[in-house]
Amino acid sequence: MAAEGGGKETNEIKTQFTTREGVYKLLTHSEYSRPNRVPFNSQGSNPVKVSFVNVNDQSGNGDRICFNVGRELYFYIYKGVRKAADLSKPIDKRIYKGTQPTCHDFNPLTATAESVSLLVGFSAGQVQLIDPIKKETSKLFNEERLIDKSRVTCVRWVPGSESLFLVAHSSGSMYLYNVENTCGTTAPHYQLLKQGDNYAVHTCKSKSARNPLLRWTVGEGALNEFAFSPDGKFLACASQDGFLRVFGFDAAELHGTMKSYFGGLLCVCWSPDGRYIVAGGEDDLVTVWSFLDCRVIARGHGHKSWVSVVAFDHCTTSVEDGEQPAEFSGSDEDFHEQIHFEAGRERANSSHSRLSKRNSTESRPVSVTYRFGSVGQDTQLCLWDLTEDILFPHLPLSRTRTHTNVMSATSPTAGGQTVTTVSITAAANPAGPNGKDNVSNSSAGGNPANSLPDALPRSNSLPQAANPAAGGSTPNSHTGSSCSSSSSSKGNSIIDSAFMATKFATLSLHDSRKERHEKDHKRNHSMGHISSKSSDKLNQLSSSRTAKGEAAKTLGTTLCPRMEEVPLLEPLVCKKIAHERLTVLIFLEDCLVTACQEGFICTWARPGKVGLLSQNNPANSPSGTVV
């Protein structure tokens, strides 16, 4: 591996990296791209996206990959860590004129070796249903752009359905389609079905069945990405207005919300057990949000520009037998050093790929670690561990603090102290800090049940004084106003309602709260070919002023805690792995897959899996096995 730090090494592209489970290695022979392998001139084009599906054929080589590069769409057999990629034989290749593919999704329920259903969204607003194996184009939705003229930002099959799919647009609207229905020859007419806090759901008024079945209007500005929960019952939406909104999908009930620290949210994902949501965006942070408590429980800072993709690693998320919390009799510095060492060296060494079933209020029979990753426009890959000292901070710290030591900003040796001075807070909180209030709040310690202890463990927190980790109190952490008490089980299914009568009751949950939508924050960091340095600085100045005014409304609330109020994670791995901004991160059984805007899809073998590439018989190591 190239040496870290200093001179030219800092700009080197890494081809391997090491974590506690071993070494991940880039497989250069397993790189997928356009057949000519020429870097794509990405200026003005839509992000490269990748979709996978397994067709369950008998050869043990059932994985298929689809990716878009510019106006082109490719469909290959994906050989992963087992065999080198053969780019000369795509199963299907399509070149579009006048529009570009922006996103795509396979339906895993209908996939066979003879047929797959692939949805493709386009920059002009259309959605195409194709079968790249049969090389058929079965249907084109929103063909005349009567439903929505804006770019498709995200398309997903509804979990468990062979015919329903959801499409998000940069207009901020989502539409529910049925593949069996037509889109009609006139613009659809809508009737209000349900309205809530800054969102509304309309049904399509029509005598005969037609698309769309429903229209969701969510927030202000573009809806950049949505993700269904693992059980398919909830929908998390990341919007350009900086809000994460989580809905009960069937009943269209708002479950909870979260606000980014700055700028828009660009990506979102669920933990494999559905307990946590991670979002990333224009604040260069990854934010971890508890689905059960409806609150931010941690932020991660490692990227130097916008975060493009976040994803959980279901294979490395682990659980192990826990031990009783140790007794500490030394000073506070010794206490935090012990915690930091244990978390970094000993926590979650288990290789079991199973999740904890316990509630956070029970005892500690097990230790939990969630692994997730992120990639960004800074061309860096970051891997993060979400450990139980962050998830359940009140369990290992049952003792109460009776006093508060206010340390000066020039004393980095007290890295364990979570109390920060005004100068430190200002460095980490450019959007209007209030250091004095935070310091005074941290010394209260009056209600340990409803507030975080003022000395949280810093197992994954940044050691720099300018990036304080957890600390301060989070009032009403379990009863925050950002969480709605309503649940999807209490309401009627809006999907069923869309098929039923034409008269619907208007349900007004709250008065729609209108907030000014900040203009798109366009720093274009690490995108020098788009804007010059001078205009880049002007964009930063103007956007930061807008963001400061907007963030002041929610900063310090349960929607958007201050930086010092929640733990600040540091990445386990933070490596530059591409020349252009990264747009894809997918965790598979034997490897993880990344892609950059130049059109190169890279396969990184998991520890112990790199040797599979040299085996001649691919049937010996099917994709689904874990050694």
Side-chain angles (χ1 to χ4, degrees):
M1 185 188 296
E4 293 291 330
K8 299 179 180 178
E9 284 83 359
T10 56
N11 247 351
E12 272 189 32
I13 304 299
K14 307 300 180 182
T15 57
Q16 65 182 44
F17 54 86
T18 304
T19 65
R20 56 179 165 79
E21 58 269 13
V23 180
Y24 290 75
K25 295 184 179 181
L26 176 65
L27 302 180
T28 55
H29 297 294
S30 297
E31 181 180 85
Y32 286 78
S33 67
R34 297 189 298 170
N36 57 12
R37 292 190 182 272
V38 175
F40 176 67
N41 181 10
S42 60
Q43 184 171 358
S45 66
N46 290 285
V48 173
K49 296 293 181 66
V50 173
S51 296
F52 284 97
V53 69
N54 191 290
V55 298
N56 299 315
D57 66 353
Q58 300 301 316
S59 67
N61 195 18
D63 290 328
R64 303 291 182 265
I65 182 174
C66 173
F67 58 90
N68 61 289
V69 182
R71 298 185 297 116
E72 303 166 5
L73 187 74
Y74 292 93
F75 182 72
Y76 281 95
I77 294 176
Y78 180 70
K79 300 176 182 178
V81 300
R82 300 180 306 278
K83 197 172 180 181
D86 184 3
L87 299 183
S88 64
K89 298 177 181 179
I91 299 177
D92 194 16
K93 172 187 175 182
R94 297 170 187 245
I95 302 177
Y96 296 94
K97 296 182 179 179
T99 186
Q100 294 185 359
T102 58
C103 50
H104 30 84
D105 189 44
F106 289 104
N107 192 330
L109 296 180
T110 61
T112 66
E114 293 78 30
S115 174
V116 294
S117 297
L118 176 66
L119 290 170
V120 184
F122 291 91
S123 56
Q126 302 94 335
V127 178
Q128 192 178 36
L129 175 63
I130 63 176
D131 188 333
I133 295 180
K134 294 182 177 179
K135 297 181 173 56
E136 295 177 353
T137 301
S138 57
K139 285 190 177 181
L140 184 62
F141 302 93
N142 193 28
E143 181 176 6
E144 302 299 326
R145 305 173 67 206
L146 297 173
I147 297 173
D148 200 306
K149 292 181 171 60
S150 64
R151 176 173 56 92
V152 176
T153 56
C154 188
V155 59
R156 292 281 187 271
W157 290 96
V158 174
S161 174
E162 296 184 2
S163 58
L164 298 179
F165 62 93
L166 194 62
V167 181
H169 290 258
S170 59
S171 63
S173 295
M174 285 189 302
Y175 302 91
L176 181 67
Y177 288 81
N178 188 326
V179 295
E180 306 299 332
N181 296 351
T182 62
C183 290
T185 56
T186 59
H189 294 280
Y190 297 103
Q191 182 171 345
L192 183 65
L193 179 63
K194 181 163 291 191
Q195 185 172 345
D197 190 4
N198 222 10
Y199 81 96
V201 182
H202 291 78
T203 184
C204 184
K205 293 172 59 178
S206 176
K207 294 181 180 179
S208 59
R210 64 161 290 178
N211 284 318
L213 303 178
L214 295 172
R215 181 185 72 178
W216 294 59
T217 306
V218 181
E220 299 178 13
L223 202 164
N224 291 319
E225 190 177 40
F226 63 82
F228 284 99
S229 61
D231 61 7
K233 295 180 180 179
F234 292 89
L235 183 70
C237 301
S239 299
Q240 190 61 37
D241 61 6
F243 279 90
L244 167 72
R245 296 175 177 88
V246 181
F247 298 95
F249 181 62
D250 284 348
E253 297 283 357
L254 183 63
H255 171 76
T257 57
M258 183 271 290
K259 175 70 169 62
S260 70
Y261 193 71
F262 177 80
L265 288 179
L266 304 178
C267 50
V268 63
C269 68
W270 291 78
S271 64
D273 58 0
R275 289 174 177 264
Y276 302 98
I277 297 174
V278 172
E282 296 176 355
D283 54 9
D284 304 353
L285 302 171
V286 292
T287 303
V288 185
W289 190 79
S290 169
F291 174 78
L292 297 176
D293 295 335
C294 293
R295 65 183 180 92
V296 176
I297 62 169
R299 291 190 179 102
H301 184 251
H303 287 284
K304 301 173 184 176
S305 186
W306 297 356
V307 180
S308 307
V309 183
V310 287
F312 273 89
D313 183 356
H314 59 285
C315 295
T316 314
T317 294
S318 62
V319 58
E320 66 175 8
D321 292 335
E323 298 177 356
Q324 293 299 322
E327 294 294 331
F328 296 99
S329 58
S331 63
D332 286 338
E333 286 78 13
D334 295 336
F335 170 73
H336 289 288
E337 286 176 5
Q338 179 82 15
I339 287 287
H340 186 82
F341 175 79
E342 286 184 353
R345 300 289 183 182
E346 300 175 359
R347 190 175 301 282
N349 292 322
S350 170
S351 60
H352 300 295
S353 297
R354 52 196 173 91
L355 296 170
S356 170
K357 300 297 183 183
R358 66 175 170 87
N359 195 305
S360 61
T361 59
E362 298 176 9
S363 59
R364 301 179 60 213
V366 291
S367 176
V368 187
T369 300
Y370 293 86
R371 167 70 57 82
F372 65 94
S374 58
V375 295
Q377 294 192 8
D378 57 358
T379 72
Q380 292 193 132
L381 163 69
C382 292
L383 295 181
W384 314 79
D385 265 1
L386 190 61
T387 49
E388 67 154 10
D389 54 328
I390 301 297
L391 301 175
F392 317 114
H394 57 287
L395 291 179
L397 293 179
S398 57
R399 63 173 188 165
T400 58
R401 296 281 298 271
T402 57
H403 66 280
T404 300
N405 296 326
V406 180
M407 309 302 295
S408 67
T410 57
S411 301
T413 55
Q417 296 291 341
T418 57
V419 180
T420 56
T421 63
V422 177
S423 59
I424 298 179
T425 307
N429 185 3
N434 190 353
K436 294 182 179 178
D437 290 345
N438 296 321
V439 171
S440 62
N441 287 339
S442 66
S443 62
N447 189 1
N450 290 330
S451 61
L452 296 179
D454 58 343
L456 290 178
R458 299 186 53 172
S459 64
N460 292 332
S461 58
L462 289 174
Q464 293 85 353
N467 291 296
S473 61
T474 307
N476 303 323
S477 61
H478 298 288
T479 58
S481 60
S482 62
C483 186
S484 172
S485 60
S486 58
S487 65
S488 61
S489 60
K490 297 179 181 179
N492 295 326
S493 169
I494 59 168
I495 299 180
D496 295 339
S497 301
F499 290 105
M500 292 167 56
T502 56
K503 293 184 179 181
F504 298 91
T506 302
L507 304 179
S508 179
L509 301 181
H510 304 282
D511 292 330
S512 183
R513 176 164 52 94
K514 300 296 181 182
E515 296 181 0
R516 293 182 182 177
H517 169 54
E518 58 190 71
K519 295 183 178 180
D520 291 346
H521 168 50
K522 297 179 179 178
R523 281 185 300 173
N524 294 326
H525 185 87
S526 75
M527 297 165 62
H529 59 274
I530 296 180
S531 62
S532 64
K533 290 185 178 179
S534 59
S535 62
D536 211 24
K537 292 181 179 178
L538 290 175
N539 284 334
Q540 288 187 33
L541 289 173
S542 61
S543 60
S544 63
R545 290 171 184 166
T546 306
K548 284 182 180 180
E550 188 72 19
K553 301 177 183 178
T554 56
L555 187 62
T557 68
T558 52
L559 286 176
C560 180
R562 298 183 184 275
M563 291 296 289
E564 66 273 10
E565 291 176 340
V566 294
L568 190 63
L569 308 178
E570 76 169 342
L572 299 176
V573 171
C574 189
K575 301 294 184 184
K576 178 182 175 68
I577 61 170
H579 291 289
E580 261 291 345
R581 59 191 185 276
L582 295 164
T583 58
V584 170
L585 174 62
I586 300 173
F587 291 96
L588 301 177
E589 297 291 339
D590 294 330
C591 59
L592 61 92
V593 177
T594 62
C596 69
Q597 194 57 23
E598 285 184 320
F600 296 115
I601 291 88
C602 298
T603 297
W604 301 76
R606 291 184 184 271
K609 305 293 184 180
V610 66
L612 298 179
L613 188 62
S614 61
Q615 295 181 358
N616 295 324
N617 186 3
N620 289 338
S621 57
S623 164
T625 57
V626 179
V627 180

